[in-house]
């Protein structure tokens, strides 16, 4: 308007309203990323598990020569690198109330613990107790304890005393694995899972874990895994003897089992 009505030059008109001449001549560039955006979204929808590397190689195999930096910029702008992690959904857990069984091998309880060696390397323990007299059946120690290792430990216990009717567990990945489920079905063992976030529904093994933590893990500094395994084997008997005596009385330690509720043999 200043140029047409007042006859001002371009320089004077831009100076009068405080506008840079480069801004006056600016023309927006057309969006050239449209085809790339559309193709990236299509490929990600077809194979949502693939990341940037595989998507970029698929683009190259399709004959597109887009630069990898340009493709990655658009890949991040579309938030394809922030995939939503699916929530692990568990079935409803309704365990039976925690009661003392009437005989051995009616119910075992199992749980994991963790600690560290002197060099800060973490190791795990897999603990198993019989709920009847809180007898410690196994303390398996290693850096990694996958489901097949858990099954072998349970089979080793069962070779000496038979299989339990029921096994009480939490909802850890090893506990809800198909390997353990197949083992339980093969040996007619009922897997009873506690509710998530309710560790006292597995109170017998939690009580054993506390004694094991105070008597072994918090009292010793282990230099190697072999040292921790050797110490665990010696201390497990003492923990088992003390826990059993506290539960059932001194007569139990001599092989006579006492009902803690009635006091009868």
């Amino acid at each position: 308007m200043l140029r047409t009505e007042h006859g001002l030059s371009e320089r004077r008109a831009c100076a009068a309203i405080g506008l840079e001449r480069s801004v006056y001549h600016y023309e927006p560039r057309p969006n050239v990323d449209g085809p790339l955006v559309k193709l990236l979204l299509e490929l990600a929808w077809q194979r949502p598990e693939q990341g940037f590397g595989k998507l970029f190689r698929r683009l190259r195999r399709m004959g597109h020569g887009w630069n990898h930096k340009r493709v990655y910029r658009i890949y991040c702008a579309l938030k394809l690198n922030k995939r939503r992690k699916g929530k692990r959904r568990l079935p409803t857990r309704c365990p039976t109330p925690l009661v003392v069984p009437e005989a051995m091998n009616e119910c075992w309880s199992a749980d994991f613990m963790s600690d560290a060696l002197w060099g800060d390397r973490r190791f795990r323990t897999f603990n198993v107790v019989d709920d009847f007299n809180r007898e410690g059946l196994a303390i398996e120690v290693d850096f990694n304890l996958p489901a097949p290792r858990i099954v072998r430990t349970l089979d080793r216990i069962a070779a000496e005393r038979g299989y339990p009717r029921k096994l009480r567990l939490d909802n850890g990945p090893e506990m809800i694995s198909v390997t353990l489920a197949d083992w339980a079905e093969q040996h007619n063992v009922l897997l009873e899972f506690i509710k998530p976030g309710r560790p006292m529904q597995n109170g017998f093994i939690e009580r054993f874990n506390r004694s094991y933590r105070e008597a072994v893990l918090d009292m010793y500094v282990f230099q190697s895994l072999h040292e921790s395994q050797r110490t665990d084997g010696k201390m497990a008997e003492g923990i088992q003897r003390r826990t059993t005596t506290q539960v059932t009385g001194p007569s139990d330690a001599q092989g006579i089992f006492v009902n803690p509720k009635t006091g009868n043999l």
Side-chain angles (χ1 to χ4, degrees):
M1 184 177 64
L2 294 177
R3 297 186 62 186
T4 57
E5 295 184 3
H6 300 280
L8 296 179
S9 64
E10 176 185 309
R11 180 179 61 81
R12 287 190 148 192
C14 290
I17 61 176
L19 183 68
E20 294 290 340
R21 295 179 65 185
S22 59
V23 178
Y24 175 75
H25 288 285
Y26 174 78
E27 294 182 1
R29 297 179 181 177
N31 185 9
V32 296
D33 294 334
L36 177 55
V37 170
K38 181 179 179 181
L39 189 55
L40 265 180
L41 291 175
E42 181 180 351
L43 294 179
W45 182 83
Q46 294 175 356
R47 300 292 300 275
E49 78 282 359
Q50 292 186 347
F52 169 74
K54 291 185 178 180
L55 290 178
F56 182 71
R57 287 193 290 270
R58 289 179 64 187
L59 290 174
R60 284 297 174 87
R61 287 198 297 267
M62 296 172 65
H64 300 287
W66 291 308
N67 184 275
H68 72 279
K69 291 181 288 185
R70 178 185 176 189
V71 176
Y72 186 71
R73 173 178 57 83
I74 299 175
Y75 177 81
C76 294
L78 295 174
K79 298 187 183 301
L80 297 176
N81 59 328
K82 297 181 180 179
R83 302 186 184 278
R84 180 178 178 272
K85 184 178 179 181
K87 182 179 179 181
R88 186 182 65 169
R89 301 192 178 277
L90 298 172
T92 303
R93 305 302 194 190
C94 297
T96 58
L98 191 64
V99 295
V100 179
E102 297 181 355
M104 297 172 59
N105 286 353
E106 282 195 8
C107 182
W108 294 355
S109 296
D111 195 15
F112 285 96
M113 297 181 67
S114 66
D115 203 70
L117 301 177
W118 177 255
D120 291 336
R121 184 171 182 182
R122 307 292 298 182
F123 66 90
R124 305 180 73 196
T125 72
F126 176 66
N127 306 336
V128 186
V129 301
D130 191 321
D131 291 355
F132 171 64
N133 56 355
R134 322 302 194 273
E135 179 184 357
L137 305 181
I139 301 178
E140 192 77 7
V141 184
D142 210 332
F143 294 121
N144 185 28
L145 293 171
R149 179 76 174 274
I150 300 306
V151 168
R152 291 200 301 269
T153 302
L154 295 173
D155 283 333
R156 187 175 68 246
I157 302 172
E160 299 178 359
R161 54 186 295 131
Y163 289 93
R165 295 182 180 179
K166 183 169 61 176
L167 184 62
R168 187 181 291 259
L169 311 163
D170 60 12
N171 297 276
E174 298 86 0
M175 306 299 197
I176 63 175
S177 64
V178 178
T179 303
L180 187 59
D182 292 341
W183 172 86
E185 183 178 0
Q186 180 181 358
H187 300 288
N188 296 321
V189 178
L190 174 64
L191 298 182
E192 185 173 81
F193 297 94
I194 65 175
K195 292 182 179 180
R198 302 293 298 276
M200 285 314 299
Q201 290 183 351
N202 204 3
F204 294 144
I205 188 66
E206 293 294 339
R207 177 63 180 86
F208 180 86
N209 290 349
R210 174 190 167 188
S211 299
Y212 176 57
R213 173 74 65 182
E214 293 176 350
V216 179
L217 298 182
D218 290 347
M219 294 297 294
Y220 294 89
V221 177
F222 302 114
Q223 301 284 348
S224 65
L225 187 65
H226 175 70
E227 182 179 346
S228 66
Q229 292 171 338
R230 184 176 55 187
T231 305
D232 291 341
K234 295 179 180 179
M235 298 300 297
E237 296 181 2
I239 297 172
Q240 172 187 332
R241 189 161 49 245
R242 184 172 67 253
T243 304
T244 304
T245 304
Q246 291 174 353
V247 172
T248 60
S251 299
D252 191 6
Q254 301 175 3
I256 303 175
F257 299 97
V258 182
N259 191 318
K261 293 184 178 179
T262 63
N264 298 326
L265 295 179

